[in-house]
Amino acid sequence: MFHLILYQPEIPPNTGNVMRLCANVGATLHLIEPLGFSLDDRRLRRAGLDYREWADVRVHACLPDCLVGLPHARVFALSTHGRVRHDAPAYRAGDCFLLGPETRGLPRDLLEALPAERRLRLPMQPGNRSLNLSNAAAVVLFEAWRQHGFSGACEPET
């Protein structure tokens, strides 16, 4: 239903956690090269557990290559420089969420190429720099999924 794009991710356990997240919420995970690890990295496999086989993961040489396959998708970027709170937009099926590398975030030119209303921020306490990449991805994906009534989720057994 949604797409999560990790732009040049650096830390294997973060990507493994995001892989597991995407499998559980039904999102497609797009990884933009260069990656700071191999997809065979044991730390990635350990964090992703056996979810790699259930996750729809696609690797792209660059962001434009990724976006050409998503021609009608709206792209929302998460950044500490964003001005719109993550729960303000009305998300649509097929929307994409773009997150930058753990140590440096999204390049300014990439961020500024998006309309201001698609540059999102997550609320935090004053003086804090950022959330962990996989936590930020979970917050925004669950908000988008919540807006869609958790479509496709299994119901608890009674």
Side-chain angles (χ1 to χ4, degrees):
M1 172 177 272
F2 297 105
H3 298 270
L4 186 70
I5 304 170
L6 297 184
Y7 181 83
Q8 301 178 354
E10 300 166 327
I11 302 173
N14 281 340
T15 300
N17 288 334
V18 170
M19 195 177 292
R20 185 175 182 175
L21 167 70
C22 287
N24 277 288
V25 302
T28 301
L29 175 60
H30 300 267
L31 303 175
I32 308 303
E33 295 179 322
L35 308 179
F37 49 85
S38 159
L39 287 177
D40 294 329
D41 190 296
R42 69 175 175 75
R43 294 169 296 174
L44 175 79
R45 288 193 318 268
R46 188 148 134 237
L49 298 174
D50 58 351
Y51 287 88
R52 173 64 175 102
E53 61 196 54
W54 295 332
D56 183 358
V57 180
R58 302 171 189 184
V59 180
H60 307 275
C62 61
L63 185 58
D65 285 358
C66 174
L67 297 178
V68 82
L70 304 165
H72 304 294
R74 297 186 305 170
V75 177
F76 292 87
L78 270 74
S79 172
T80 57
H81 303 290
R83 296 285 178 237
V84 177
R85 211 169 72 183
H86 77 289
D87 58 348
Y91 297 116
R92 298 189 294 224
D95 281 346
C96 300
F97 302 100
L98 174 64
L99 290 87
E102 292 92 329
T103 61
R104 60 190 188 277
L106 289 167
R108 186 164 286 302
D109 62 326
L110 249 174
L111 196 56
E112 290 176 355
L114 294 172
E117 66 272 10
R118 294 210 192 140
R119 295 181 225 157
L120 307 177
R121 68 173 174 79
L122 298 176
M124 292 184 294
Q125 293 293 310
N128 288 322
R129 289 190 328 248
S130 64
L131 288 174
N132 171 277
L133 178 73
S134 59
N135 291 337
V139 169
V140 75
L141 270 179
F142 267 90
E143 172 56 23
W145 198 27
R146 182 198 66 78
Q147 289 183 17
H148 286 261
F150 298 107
S151 176
C154 62
E155 295 297 320
E157 295 181 24
T158 55

